[in-house]
Structures are given as structure tokens and as C-alpha cells.
Amino acid sequence: MKEYLKHDEWCIIEEGFNPENNRISESVFSIGNGRMGQRANFEEAYSGDSLQGSYVAGIYYPDKTRVGWWKNGYPEYFAKVLNAAYWIGIDIEIDGETLDLAKCKIESFRRVLNMQEGYLERTFVATLESGKQVKVAAKRFCSIVDDEVGAIRYSITPLDFSAAFIISPYIDADVINEDSNYDEKFWEEVNAKVKRRQAYVTAETKKTAFQVCTGMKFAIFQDGEEIDFNSFRHHREKYVACGVDIMAREGEEIVIYKYVGVLSSLNHAPEALQGNCETVVRDAFDKGFDQLLKEQANAWQQKWEEADIKIEGDISAQQSIRFNIFQLYQTYTGKDERLNIGPKGFTGEKYGGSTYWDTEAYCLPFYLATADAKVGRQLLVYRYKHLEKAIENAAKLGFTDGAALYPMVTINGEECHNEWEITFEEIHRNGAIAFAIYDYIRYTGDQAYLAEHGLEVLIGIARFWAQRIHYSERNQKFMMHGVTGPNEYENNVNNNWYTNYIAVWCLKYAMEAISYVKENEPEQFKRIEEKIKFYELTETKQWKKIAGNMYFPKDEQLGIFVQHDGFLDKEMKTVKDLKPEDRPINQNWSWDRILRSVFIKQADVLQGLYLFEDHFDESTLRRNFEFYEPLTVHESSLSPCVHAIIAAKLGMEEKAYEMYLRTARLDLDDYNNDTEDGCHITSMAGTWMAIVRGFGGMRVQDGVVAFNPFIPSNWKSYAFKIRFGGHILEVVVRPGQTQVSNHSNDGITIKVFENNHTIGAGQTLNLNGTKNKS
């Protein structure tokens, strides 16, 4: 754990520069707008250790699979969102000496991510090897108003000298992905153009033939006045730059304003790309940096008005929840149904920028409650449009008759994960896709989605489970062998409780959905029946047999559900038995040792109890939590939030708060020693859930939103807003007091502490009591 970032309610602050933390900071201080993103690399040259990263949503390359032993069914490639043209670059040369912080003495350094207004700022004073000292202040952002625009204000002041400067803003598309399987470059130049103060380069991805045009236009001011200049125009393959000679005078600030457009062929015809990019850049240039920044601040103010969580009395907790919400909104806006949420967003290369089951299990609840309902719907439609690919994925593994297996990792619907224990065995992911449909309809009441899209997906998933499950004559039970559950520290196990449970739930929910559509939308049902060749009586007969006679491992003596067959035969140790130098075990132990151990990577049985808590009584939840949590190392970013929510429900307030801080500050404090690869974007939605569903106790029960809040003992208050049924509700919790305000034009009935209350339009409900004080 690294705690070098300063605590502040609205900003992430780094004071002083430690090169060993640079990759972590590059991840944490990343900026984006849902269409593109940029790691917190330096504008000027830096020869030290760095992971350069500029990313464009939806632009990927199918990197050929690299494995030691090829197995039938392996995907042929791993889809990777590519490191794209480096648009922030501004080289500074001073009397022939390059400004490079790796070669300077850094006198002072400060980096600030302003989450309230949506920009990154960096200031430093550095002494060059020649002894010359400069002061630099840089500010940049990716506009969420004009989401193809990036803007930079970069100022440099010679503090104790006058000298000739060469200032060279540039665009460099000659970039690599550090995680390339075969060390190849993925971009080829299509065309380039350099003018006096403008430059453009269009590059195309190999194989997938996506094109991206990145262009810039810049202005230079000296001592407050814009200067005219001629530039040296540079062009080499995939690189364009404009070099400007300036005589810098001691104490006089030089300011470079750089305006950038990043346009892709996802949204523009290739032949129109450069022309459209020139228009976008010109419009940004004409609008000017200050106006763009003002619009950015106003747009973020609106987002914060809708989604902010306010915590009084705990700056660390306040900073972290805002950081998580900020990164979620930088990653996904819901504007484009072709896009989804990669586990690292725009903050790093790991996981390829592709979509995992994380979206459905963790991100959907956040967007349902904080954004328009159509945003959540878009996430479901994304999966519906990949249904045919899911059927193809299942067919590659030998499944037939329209069985659908959604991919573990994808960017276009095709499976591209190439580890057998995940690709072939971590099939519980199918359950997350089905549960998301249920969760969306439960929250929004949009039953029409079933007939339009949802039922086809549910039937495809049910068909998969019906074929994947087998009947054991010896045990007279249906079983499922050879799976990996959410706990990826166990592979190829038999009868993982969570996988068995969610499979049966999927079969039951599919049958419920069939009955609903058949009764309420008979014409639609007939259309679906014919389209997918669905034979209701024959197929549902088998589903009912499975659902009524499935094997679920359980230990009667302990009163717990057993994670999988044989789990209790392991040597039983707890996380407290581990030595500090063992942690994290995935970086210090052999895989063999991990697989033999009892330690759990993330919620497994508890994942099921979280999703289906209303299926079990509190004593069952408690026994399982108290058994499994001490075995859990939380080395998945997705783990702490589930534990926080269950602990809160059980009244285990200290554990709930401990788990909240772990999920909330996972990246800020680098808990798992892996933030340098990028931030854990999808798990950030879990941080929001830990407060709203955990501390706030929010649930939807029979179409009514319910709250059962408690407040951590060191907090003075907390407040959040949610959207529900066309209403905007604000919940404020203080010790011994709960307040719910209805910021809507219509009244609403809600439930608080199991009692119904009706709140009129614009009215506030005040109640004495919280779950921990009354």
C-alpha cells in the first residue's frame, strides 16, 4: 500500500516527484470523456520509466493469441483497445538542451486532478544539467462537451537566464502497445499534413482497418501577448510537428495553447476524416482555452449535481468516492450503444480495454441510479447485439441448438480470452448477463424490454445451461463439473455453488419471462419462437427437471453453502495466518501453491448471497459471511464492495467501513500493487454500491425503492441522490436522523426501515433514527 497522495475533498494531489511512483500516478491522474482518454504522461519529453497511453473508444486490434499449448476452442486473438496517437506532446529545447525531468534536478513538483471541474494540472520548477532553471505550469482536459476535443495550456518561464528556445508541439502516431503479444506496431499511416501552426496525421489499424485522424492547432503567447511565428515543419512516418524558435527572456512567461481533435472512422466516413478533424480543431481554436474550460466546468457541475456523494467528517472517504465516480463518468457516458466499459477504462492497457462481466454485475446498478434509464438500456442492448456471436462462441465449444455462451472478454461479441480455466470454465458470466436484464427491469419497470430484446438472450443462456449441466445417476442429482467460479484461485472444480445456483436461477427466470411475453405480447412471442426455433414444451420440460433437482454443496454441521466439492478438505487457514511478505499472494506465490490453498481471491459463495439475498434468511447470510470472509484475500478489485454490502446488511459496521475504504481507495493507495497498469474502473461502481446499497441499505422491493441506512461512527453525515421511476430522491443520513427529499414534480411512495412513506413533490421526509441509532 502506498499513501503518497494528499487528501482533499475535490482534488487528487501529488506533491514532490518520485519516479518509482510515476506509473501509478499516470494511471490515477488520467483524463477522459467517454470517447477518448489519456494517461497522465508529461507534455515535455520524459526518458524515465513511463507507460505512454492515449486511447480512442471502440478502436481495437485483434492481437494473435500467444499460448504455450493450443487447445481446441481457444480464440484466435485477444482484442486490444490500442494505444493511439500521442496528442499531448510539446518538446522544449533550451539552447540545444532538451527539457526532460528524468535528467533535471526537480526543485518542486505538484500534480493535481481537479475532479470538480474536470482537468489535470501540473506545476514544477526544475534545474537543467546546464544549471538553467525553469518554471512550468501545464493544464489539460478532454472535453466532455465536445468529446472529440482535447486542450492544453502549457507555460514555461526561464527563471534565471535568457536563451533561445525551440518549442515543438507534435502528434505522434508511431506508438506501441507495451502488452503486444508479438512486439508489433498496430498502426500504418494513411496521410499527414503540416502547416505553419497546424498538423494532422491519419493512421489506420492493421487487420481491422479503423482510421483515426489526430490533428492540432496552436498559438504561442510571450509576456501576455500573442506572437507571430514561422515554424519548421516536420514529417516522418506517422509523426508531424511544428518547431518554433523563440528568444526567451528571463522572468517572462511563454504560453502554448494546443487544441487537438481526435476523430475515428467509427463516427466519420474515412474520406471525410481529415476534413472533419480540421473543422473540429478550428472550432476549438476559435472558441479558445478559457471558454472550453468554462464549458467543461459547467458540464461537470451538472454531473456532480446528479451523482455526487457528500461525506462530512472523513476527507479520505470523501475524496475516494468522488474519484471513483469521476473515473466512471470519464469512461462511459451511454451516448453510444457500440461502446462499453473496459476494466481499465482509458487509464491503461491491461485487460485490453475489452468488456467483461464486470459491466453487468457492478456498473449497471450505478448507471441505473445516476443516469437516464436509456443509459442502462444501452448496456443491455450492447449484449443483445452480440447474441449471435455468443451462440457462435458456444458452438465452438460443442454446444448446439442456439445455446449462447457470452464471452469472458470481448469487444465485438467474440470471445478473445485465452486462458483455458477462464475461457472454457468461468461460465458463471452467463448468469451475470441474465441477472442484468432482471435487475434493469426490476429497477425501471421496463417490461417491454423482454419482448424487444431480453427474452431471446434469456432463452439462449437457458439453452446453454441445459446442455452444460449433466445428470449424475450415482447421486440422482443434476450437477456441473469442470468450472471456475468467481474465485479464480480455484480452477476446474466440480459443483461450484454459485455457478450452480445462478444457472438454476437463469432457467427459472427464463421461464418466467416466457410466460410474461406469451401472455402480454403474444405476437412478439410468436415472432421470437419462429426466429430462434424455440420449442417451448420440450425445452422448458428439461429446464424444470434441472431446476427441481440440482445439487448444491452444503455442510449441515457448519450451516454453510460449500464453495465447491472438496473445498472443506483443504488445510483451513485464515488470512491472518499469512505473513506480510506473502501479500499479495498472486505476486509472491506459485500458482500451484495458490490453487492448493484455501484462500479466496474474491466473493464466490458470497457473490451469490449478495445477488440473491432475499432468497435467504439473515442467519444463513451471517454464517456464510463469517466463514468465508476470513479466508478472502480480496486480490480482485471486485471483492471488497460485495463484502461491504453484506456486512452492512448484517450490522457489522466496522467491517463494512473497512471494506468500503479498501474498495474506494484501491487505486489511490495502490492496495494490490497493480495500479501502475491502470485504474480498476469497473470495480469503482462497487464503491458507489458500498455506500448506496451498503450504508444506505437501498433496495428495490416489489417496485418500491427502500432504504435501511446506517452511518459509520466517524462520519458526521453523508448524502446521495438516485433516480427511480422518473423521480430524483436525495437521501441525507446523520447520526440518529434520516432525511429523504423528493426533487420531482410528482409524489412517490418509498420504504424506510420497513415502513411505507409517501413524499409529495418537492417535499422532504424527516425520520428519527438510523439502523445503528434510534
Side-chain angles (χ1 to χ4, degrees):
M1 196 164 84
K2 303 174 183 68
E3 298 179 276
Y4 68 93
L5 300 174
K6 306 297 180 185
H7 290 183
D8 182 272
E9 290 187 355
W10 278 109
C11 295
I12 310 300
I13 302 169
E14 177 184 18
E15 291 185 344
F17 181 64
N18 180 351
E20 292 182 2
N21 293 333
N22 187 47
R23 284 195 178 216
I24 299 170
S25 293
E26 288 177 339
S27 298
V28 168
F29 289 84
S30 294
I31 56 174
N33 60 14
R35 184 74 64 190
M36 63 178 182
Q38 171 67 51
R39 281 174 63 84
N41 310 121
F42 299 158
E43 289 85 0
E44 71 279 351
Y46 183 67
S47 58
D49 186 40
S50 172
L51 176 61
Q52 181 178 304
S54 300
Y55 309 103
V56 182
I59 304 302
Y60 70 95
Y61 176 83
D63 201 8
K64 184 180 176 182
T65 297
R66 187 168 191 165
V67 292
W69 178 22
W70 186 271
K71 298 173 181 65
N72 288 337
Y74 264 170
E76 296 181 359
Y77 66 89
F78 190 91
K80 292 176 178 175
V81 170
L82 296 183
N83 187 15
Y86 193 65
W87 57 268
I88 65 170
I90 302 174
D91 280 343
I92 306 292
E93 190 176 305
I94 303 169
D95 269 349
E97 188 175 6
T98 299
L99 176 59
D100 178 349
L101 288 187
K103 300 177 180 178
C104 295
K105 180 183 177 184
I106 300 173
E107 310 294 343
S108 65
F109 181 97
R110 181 178 170 89
R111 181 159 31 188
V112 178
L113 182 65
N114 185 311
M115 300 178 290
Q116 189 169 25
E117 298 184 5
Y119 64 81
L120 171 64
E121 189 170 35
R122 181 172 58 102
T123 57
F124 64 85
V125 173
T127 302
L128 282 68
E129 291 180 296
S130 62
K132 299 181 177 71
Q133 195 169 83
V134 295
K135 179 175 72 174
V136 169
K139 182 183 289 186
R140 70 172 186 249
F141 58 93
C142 295
S143 172
I144 61 172
V145 178
D146 303 304
D147 62 10
E148 295 173 322
V149 169
I152 303 171
R153 182 191 189 276
Y154 188 93
S155 76
I156 182 167
T157 305
L159 296 180
D160 57 0
F161 67 96
S162 298
F165 278 37
I166 301 177
I167 297 172
S168 302
Y170 67 87
I171 304 289
D172 185 7
D174 190 20
V175 294
I176 62 169
N177 265 53
E178 196 173 86
D179 66 351
S180 168
N181 285 342
Y182 295 91
D183 298 323
E184 62 180 317
K185 293 185 176 181
F186 301 137
W187 295 94
E188 294 177 330
E189 182 179 304
V190 175
N191 56 59
K193 180 164 80 172
V194 189
K195 295 183 176 181
R196 181 173 66 93
R197 63 166 71 212
Q198 301 178 60
Y200 302 84
V201 59
T202 301
E204 182 177 273
T205 59
K206 298 176 182 177
K207 296 184 181 178
T208 46
F210 293 113
Q211 290 190 12
V212 175
C213 181
T214 308
M216 68 172 185
K217 186 173 183 179
F218 65 96
I220 300 177
F221 287 69
Q222 186 171 21
D223 200 25
E225 299 291 331
E226 184 173 7
I227 63 172
D228 197 11
F229 56 82
N230 288 312
S231 65
F232 300 97
R233 301 165 197 186
H234 303 283
H235 173 222
R236 60 176 186 264
E237 186 182 7
K238 294 178 281 189
Y239 174 92
V240 288
C242 301
V244 180
D245 288 336
I246 295 178
M247 188 62 200
R249 296 179 288 272
E250 181 178 343
E252 287 188 359
E253 181 185 48
I254 298 171
V255 181
I256 305 100
Y257 291 99
K258 182 178 180 180
Y259 305 90
V260 175
V262 181
L263 280 65
S264 83
S265 57
L266 274 181
N267 307 301
H268 302 268
E271 62 273 14
L273 226 105
Q274 182 171 307
N276 291 351
C277 187
E278 290 183 23
T279 300
V280 167
V281 170
R282 183 186 64 241
D283 290 348
F285 183 90
D286 292 345
K287 192 177 284 188
F289 187 88
D290 290 342
Q291 180 61 27
L292 287 169
L293 185 59
K294 181 180 179 181
E295 292 175 359
Q296 177 84 342
N298 290 340
W300 272 107
Q301 182 181 6
Q302 183 175 344
K303 285 190 179 294
W304 288 118
E305 180 64 28
E306 296 172 349
D308 189 22
I309 292 180
K310 300 173 183 176
I311 299 171
E312 187 183 7
D314 189 339
I315 291 178
S316 173
Q318 177 66 88
Q319 179 188 49
S320 56
I321 187 59
R322 282 180 172 149
F323 174 70
N324 284 263
I325 293 170
F326 180 73
Q327 290 292 359
L328 282 163
Y329 274 119
Q330 287 200 130
T331 302
Y332 183 76
T333 62
K335 293 180 182 178
D336 190 335
E337 67 184 27
R338 298 168 298 177
L339 304 179
N340 207 277
I341 306 161
K344 296 294 183 185
F346 297 119
T347 70
E349 297 176 7
K350 193 173 182 182
Y351 303 125
S354 299
T355 302
Y356 286 62
W357 67 284
D358 309 16
T359 293
E360 285 74 23
Y362 297 87
C363 296
L364 179 64
F366 169 78
Y367 288 104
L368 285 177
T370 63
D372 190 276
K374 67 183 180 182
V375 174
R377 206 177 210 266
Q378 295 274 56
L379 291 172
L380 300 189
V381 170
Y382 176 89
R383 293 293 194 178
Y384 171 74
K385 291 192 171 183
H386 288 173
L387 177 57
E388 289 305 314
K389 288 288 188 182
I391 293 170
E392 290 177 19
N393 293 335
K396 290 175 183 177
L397 302 186
F399 297 91
T400 59
D401 300 323
L405 175 59
Y406 275 89
M408 186 68 183
V409 181
T410 193
I411 203 164
N412 62 1
E414 191 171 19
E415 178 65 78
C416 61
H417 196 287
N418 49 35
E419 294 173 318
W420 66 268
E421 68 274 16
I422 307 299
T423 307
F424 303 154
E425 297 198 336
E426 199 166 343
I427 53 178
H428 67 82
R429 60 189 186 256
N430 249 13
I433 308 300
F435 190 86
I437 296 171
Y438 166 79
D439 202 22
Y440 166 78
I441 293 171
R442 175 176 61 175
Y443 198 89
T444 64
D446 182 12
Q447 292 280 1
Y449 184 79
L450 279 177
E452 292 174 30
H453 303 302
L455 184 57
E456 289 181 54
V457 173
L458 294 173
I459 290 173
I461 289 172
R463 284 170 160 174
F464 171 82
W465 291 125
Q467 294 179 44
R468 184 61 170 79
I469 292 165
H470 72 276
Y471 185 70
S472 167
E473 290 287 352
R474 179 173 176 271
N475 294 283
Q476 298 290 293
K477 286 282 187 181
F478 287 96
M479 296 184 166
M480 194 158 16
H481 287 185
V483 303
T484 297
N487 172 24
E488 293 171 340
Y489 290 174
E490 300 275 5
N491 303 146
N492 200 38
V493 301
N494 294 337
N495 295 310
N496 172 260
W497 182 87
Y498 171 71
T499 306
N500 284 13
Y501 198 90
I502 202 165
V504 167
W505 177 87
C506 287
L507 295 173
K508 291 178 178 178
Y509 183 53
M511 288 187 282
E512 288 178 19
I514 289 165
S515 296
Y516 178 86
V517 175
K518 190 176 180 180
E519 180 179 344
N520 294 278
E521 300 276 358
E523 291 302 314
Q524 285 277 54
F525 183 75
K526 185 178 179 182
R527 174 189 64 81
I528 293 167
E529 243 185 343
E530 293 174 354
K531 178 182 177 182
I532 66 175
K533 296 181 174 58
F534 177 56
Y535 304 102
E536 182 186 359
L537 292 178
T538 304
E539 296 192 54
T540 58
K541 181 180 178 180
Q542 179 65 7
W543 300 357
K544 289 174 184 175
K545 284 174 64 177
I546 294 170
N549 194 28
M550 190 71 177
Y551 169 67
F552 300 105
K554 183 177 180 179
D555 187 276
E556 298 292 346
Q557 184 177 353
L558 294 172
I560 64 166
F561 304 121
V562 181
Q563 184 175 276
H564 58 79
D565 288 351
F567 181 78
L568 295 182
D569 297 330
K570 290 173 175 277
E571 182 182 11
M572 285 294 155
K573 293 184 175 182
T574 69
V575 173
K576 290 181 179 178
D577 296 320
L578 290 170
K579 299 174 183 177
E581 56 266 29
D582 288 331
R583 305 292 302 277
I585 62 173
N586 63 14
Q587 295 177 26
N588 292 290
W589 284 11
S590 69
W591 194 245
D592 166 73
R593 188 179 179 188
I594 289 173
L595 291 175
R596 287 186 287 108
S597 80
V598 75
F599 298 116
I600 298 170
K601 180 182 180 185
Q602 68 190 81
D604 196 302
V605 169
L606 297 183
Q607 181 76 26
L609 298 185
Y610 156 67
L611 290 178
F612 303 109
E613 65 175 22
D614 54 334
H615 295 191
F616 308 101
D617 60 33
E618 186 171 309
S619 62
T620 299
L621 297 177
R622 186 177 301 278
R623 285 194 304 273
N624 280 275
F625 186 87
E626 290 178 348
F627 180 82
Y628 284 108
E629 197 284 325
L631 309 179
T632 305
V633 290
H634 302 294
E635 288 174 8
S636 164
S637 63
L638 303 176
S639 185
C641 67
V642 171
H643 289 79
I645 294 167
I646 298 175
K649 180 177 176 61
L650 295 174
M652 303 169 69
E653 296 167 14
E654 289 185 9
K655 176 59 70 173
Y657 181 71
E658 173 198 336
M659 290 292 101
Y660 164 73
L661 279 186
R662 180 161 185 143
T663 188
R665 299 198 66 85
L666 183 74
D667 291 311
L668 293 176
D669 294 338
D670 194 22
Y671 264 91
N672 289 341
N673 197 33
D674 59 359
T675 304
E676 64 182 32
D677 299 324
C679 294
H680 299 81
I681 301 299
T682 47
S683 74
M684 290 177 171
T687 304
W688 177 90
M689 290 197 300
I691 290 184
V692 176
R693 292 191 171 188
F695 302 163
M698 188 196 85
R699 304 290 190 273
V700 177
Q701 301 170 351
D702 299 322
V704 175
V705 66
F707 303 95
N708 194 26
F710 85 88
I711 184 167
S713 60
N714 59 324
W715 291 8
K716 295 179 181 178
S717 70
Y718 67 95
F720 60 85
K721 289 182 180 177
I722 65 159
R723 296 184 181 210
F724 182 79
H727 299 82
I728 296 177
L729 301 177
E730 182 176 14
V731 179
V732 181
V733 182
R734 301 181 180 90
Q737 184 183 30
T738 299
Q739 181 183 87
V740 184
S741 299
N742 177 14
H743 300 298
S744 311
N745 296 323
D746 300 302
I748 184 174
T749 297
I750 67 169
K751 186 178 286 188
V752 184
F753 305 127
E754 305 304 323
N755 296 313
N756 287 333
H757 302 271
T758 298
I759 311 176
Q763 300 299 304
T764 295
L765 171 70
N766 289 292
L767 295 172
N768 291 324
T770 57
K771 194 166 136 182
N772 47 351
K773 283 191 180 181
S774 58

